Amino acid sequence: MRFLFHYPTSLGQKRRDQFILALVTLGSLLPFVRKPLHIDDMSFLHLVERLRKFGDYYTTPFYMFGDKVESLINFTHPPLISFFNLVILFVYPAITEPALHLIYYSIAIATVIYAYRLAHRFCQYPLFLGLCLLFSPPFYILFQGFMTDAALCCFLLISFVHFIDAIDQGNKRSLYLAIVFYALALGTAFQAVVFLAGYFIYAVLNGKPKHFFMMGWSFIPIALWVLYPLVALGLTPDPVEGVALGDLGQRNKYLYFICQFSLAYVIPVGLLLSILKKSDGGTVLWSLVAGAIGFLLLGKGIFEAYTWTQIIVLGVSASATFCFFFILIVKIAGWFSFNGSLSKERKDDAFIFSLVFIFFPICVVFTGFGANRYLLPIMPFVFIILLRLANPLKMRMATLTLVLSAALSIPVAQADFNFSAVVKKFSQAIHIFVPKDRRIWFVGEWEMRHYMNAVGFNYLTRDSKVEEGDLIVEPSVISRLYVKTLPIPKRLHTEINFHSGSDWRTLNFGTHAGFWGQHWGLLPFWRGTDLLEKFNIYEVITPERRRQLNLGNPAIPITKLDTLQTRVIDMQTRTTHVGDDQTPFEFNVALDGTYLLEMNLALQIPDDWEEIPVPGRFQVWVVDGDEEQMVHEQILPPRTPHFVHWYPVTVNLGGFQGKDVMVRLKTSGVNGRIERGPEALWSRLNLVRVYHVNFDSDPNTKHLLKGLRIL
């Protein structure tokens, strides 16, 4: 393993190392070459159509999360990646995901190679650093996509390598390359502006400020792009338009970045352990105290749903991040004990340390929301700092850190692959679960929108016109337009649950895995048995059917019609069953599969009720032959008609699959037959078919991972 830690001195050794890194990078990413489009990949592909009609690029309205957006003027990314995709699709119009991945793998290879070249300039372990970057979980995930973050990291590394070479060696060609690639970085993401500080610091420290001013040429292309809508269309762009998170959301964002810095990349924690010495005990103690205080202050009101294990892991990762920055502060403070000018080594430290210190707080404070990918461009510099501080490096600890990081990266990347693939599989297999003669709408963005549109389904907006019998598909993870909140008469028709043999999750509410955004959780990834994804399919019905007791569901023949009454509850007129203690309400149903029984419950007393209100007990029993089993019980408080409301209840009947059973609804403590007494009301009975699909082995969907034409 000593080969990983050698410092190459000859050109041949450098080329050998870079060739090894290129092969390892390509070989490690190839197993994921069939990964479907994921998260924002679709945005930069769909913008190709706008670029083809450039005059309408900004002014054509579009829909996002179901809402109409009149202009693209505030899109938060420059167009370079979309132009790149335009060229690809012009040359290869029928390109599939594997082919597109292979093209983008060139960015991954270039990133690792230039991280190696940058590390060769600033530390003793360039090959080890290149492998650390490659086998950190975020790299493994982000470089399997077509978003801006990977390209931004790549272009910045190339630019800095050439800029430093131009100053150190006086190479004008390198300076021109630095200008070009910084222009490409600016054309990829506005985030690149922050790194201008790095060029300034390095140029000034080395007495060549003119080189910094030359970097101003990089801003010409992006300036022209920003000025075009202002001059030609009279539109003022605001690409850094913020997201209103509120106090809780802001604290969540700060905590997200602090924890993700150490937890997601893993390497910083392992290298910190290699750095620490007995003399650093005070620094570690203060960082632990600061980390604990910051963690508790920022985390107020956030951790209620987290397990103790998750809270401890997040706390340790926050402390590790504080420890990293405390060590840097201590090192920087030590420089002031030196008299005279800084040495070359101290100048290099000042350049890298300052760049990290500038970028991280700006990223934490000014990004609209927390997302792991925003940290990617600075991480090569973080790794370099740690390796500079760890010289000489504890090889066993460093090797163990690399192995553990690689061992974690593979299953996490596979979990993200599974999540991206489930929508593609579902979109092509949906008619296994629902009739083919129905018009299908869907909500959701990202891959949901791309693949559902690709097979001809309709994207639902707030102004869409739906008709009775239409079906609306709603994913549980990747949607912000919630069907239940829409003023559409509907009932839940089918529920489809996708399970996975892998326990890892990268985007999941249940496990708080929020690699792609703070909205899902503070953890980048976590293990759990939660569903990979769940799709609820709603049927559009008429308002009349919505007010019926059983919504016209033919699977539930209502028998006791003498107990049905029309009542106005919660300002809604509905047909309800009025229950009492003596007369249960029952119906027969043949459960040919797994079903959920949905219903609404209410307990009503007259306005002039004088006795002390007593809660009523509602029970759901299932009669299977001679056996009767209670499957649900709920106690409800009584309310007068002006304040009563329906309580939704869902009962899982999965334990009676394949049986003909009787469902019996009972009440206790109420008597609707007594004049003006408490009344137990049951309304909107609905039987929902539930499917459970094993994502890894189900024969109905196994064949659906073939490449799909993108545009």
Side-chain angles (χ1 to χ4, degrees), residues 277-543:
K277 304 173 184 176
K278 290 183 179 180
S279 58
D280 294 320
T283 302
V284 173
L285 178 61
W286 280 110
S287 64
L288 290 175
V289 171
I293 294 174
F295 186 73
L296 293 174
L297 291 177
L298 292 173
K300 184 179 180 181
I302 294 177
F303 297 121
E304 283 81 356
Y306 288 74
T307 67
W308 277 108
T309 301
Q310 291 175 328
I311 294 173
I312 292 171
V313 169
L314 288 170
V316 171
S317 64
S319 296
T321 301
F322 274 92
C323 185
F324 171 79
F325 283 100
F326 267 60
I327 287 176
L328 294 196
I329 292 171
V330 170
K331 296 295 182 182
I332 292 172
W335 299 346
F336 292 97
S337 62
F338 291 92
N339 295 320
S341 59
L342 294 175
S343 65
K344 181 65 174 175
E345 183 179 359
R346 290 289 174 261
K347 290 178 181 179
D348 291 346
D349 286 337
F351 160 62
I352 301 176
F353 288 17
S354 300
L355 188 56
V356 174
F357 263 111
I358 292 170
F359 177 88
F360 187 73
I362 290 177
C363 178
V364 169
V365 174
F366 291 102
T367 50
F369 61 94
N372 184 284
R373 61 186 185 271
Y374 297 150
L375 293 173
L376 178 66
I378 201 61
M379 295 314 293
F381 298 92
V382 172
F383 290 175
I384 288 174
I385 288 175
L386 290 166
L387 289 176
R388 285 177 68 85
L389 295 175
N391 190 23
L393 188 65
K394 298 176 182 177
M395 295 185 184
R396 289 185 179 179
M397 176 64 73
T399 303
L400 179 62
T401 300
L402 179 60
V403 171
L404 290 176
S405 182
L408 179 62
S409 296
I410 294 172
V412 167
Q414 182 63 51
D416 198 63
F417 179 100
N418 291 345
F419 180 76
S420 68
V422 71
V423 173
K424 181 178 179 181
K425 281 190 170 187
F426 171 76
S427 66
Q428 299 178 39
I430 188 171
H431 288 304
I432 296 174
F433 312 106
V434 298
K436 293 184 178 181
D437 59 349
R438 301 290 189 93
R439 183 168 62 160
I440 295 178
W441 301 80
F442 68 92
V443 297
E445 302 299 323
W446 303 335
E447 54 261 51
M448 184 73 179
R449 187 168 180 176
H450 179 82
Y451 288 113
M452 293 291 279
N453 270 332
V455 292
F457 300 139
N458 306 289
Y459 178 67
L460 184 72
T461 66
R462 295 190 187 275
D463 52 8
S464 295
K465 305 298 182 184
V466 298
E467 299 176 355
E468 183 182 8
D470 289 355
L471 300 178
I472 303 174
V473 181
E474 178 187 51
S476 64
V477 177
I478 53 177
S479 176
R480 294 187 194 175
L481 181 63
Y482 302 108
V483 176
K484 285 187 177 181
T485 65
L486 298 177
I488 299 174
K490 56 192 174 292
R491 76 175 183 95
L492 184 58
H493 180 280
T494 305
E495 178 185 295
I496 305 170
N497 301 298
F498 277 84
H499 303 262
S500 174
S502 170
D503 291 338
W504 286 99
R505 301 289 183 266
T506 56
L507 200 66
N508 187 271
F509 288 111
T511 59
H512 308 290
F515 179 87
W516 294 102
Q518 71 179 75
H519 179 60
W520 289 268
L522 294 174
L523 296 155
F525 30 76
W526 197 256
R527 297 191 69 177
T529 57
D530 294 71
L531 295 174
L532 190 63
E533 179 60 287
K534 179 176 75 172
F535 297 93
N536 286 332
I537 302 179
Y538 295 86
E539 180 185 20
V540 179
I541 58 177
T542 62

Side-chain angles (χ1 to χ4, degrees), residues 605-679:
I605 56 177
D607 282 322
D608 56 356
W609 187 254
E610 296 179 354
E611 300 180 21
I612 298 176
V614 178
R617 189 182 303 273
F618 291 72
Q619 297 175 342
V620 181
W621 293 75
V622 176
V623 181
D624 179 16
D626 297 330
E627 297 182 2
E628 186 176 20
Q629 177 181 342
M630 187 175 67
V631 294
H632 183 80
E633 182 177 51
Q634 185 157 349
I635 299 176
L636 297 184
R639 297 285 187 268
T640 59
H642 292 290
F643 298 100
V644 75
H645 65 274
W646 296 105
Y647 291 84
V649 171
T650 301
V651 180
N652 191 341
L653 301 178
F656 304 94
Q657 181 176 348
K659 298 180 179 180
D660 294 340
V661 299
M662 174 184 289
V663 178
R664 182 171 292 162
L665 311 180
K666 295 182 180 181
T667 56
S668 175
V670 299
N671 192 340
R673 299 297 184 183
I674 299 177
E675 185 177 0
R676 300 182 59 75
E679 296 176 327

Side-chain angles (χ1 to χ4, degrees), residues 177-254:
L177 288 173
I179 294 170
V180 169
F181 279 98
Y182 188 50
L184 293 177
L186 290 168
T188 301
F190 292 110
Q191 191 182 18
V193 174
V194 180
F195 286 84
L196 187 64
Y199 298 100
F200 174 77
I201 293 169
Y202 194 82
V204 170
L205 286 174
N206 289 276
K208 296 184 179 180
K210 290 184 179 180
H211 284 66
F212 166 73
F213 292 114
M214 288 290 291
M215 297 302 294
W217 291 102
S218 300
F219 285 85
I220 293 178
I222 193 62
L224 293 175
W225 176 262
V226 173
L227 288 173
Y228 164 73
L230 181 64
V231 175
L233 305 175
L235 299 173
T236 304
D238 185 14
V240 293
E241 182 182 28
V243 178
L245 293 177
D247 174 67
L248 183 63
Q250 288 290 350
R251 288 190 287 108
N252 196 311
K253 181 182 72 169
Y254 300 154

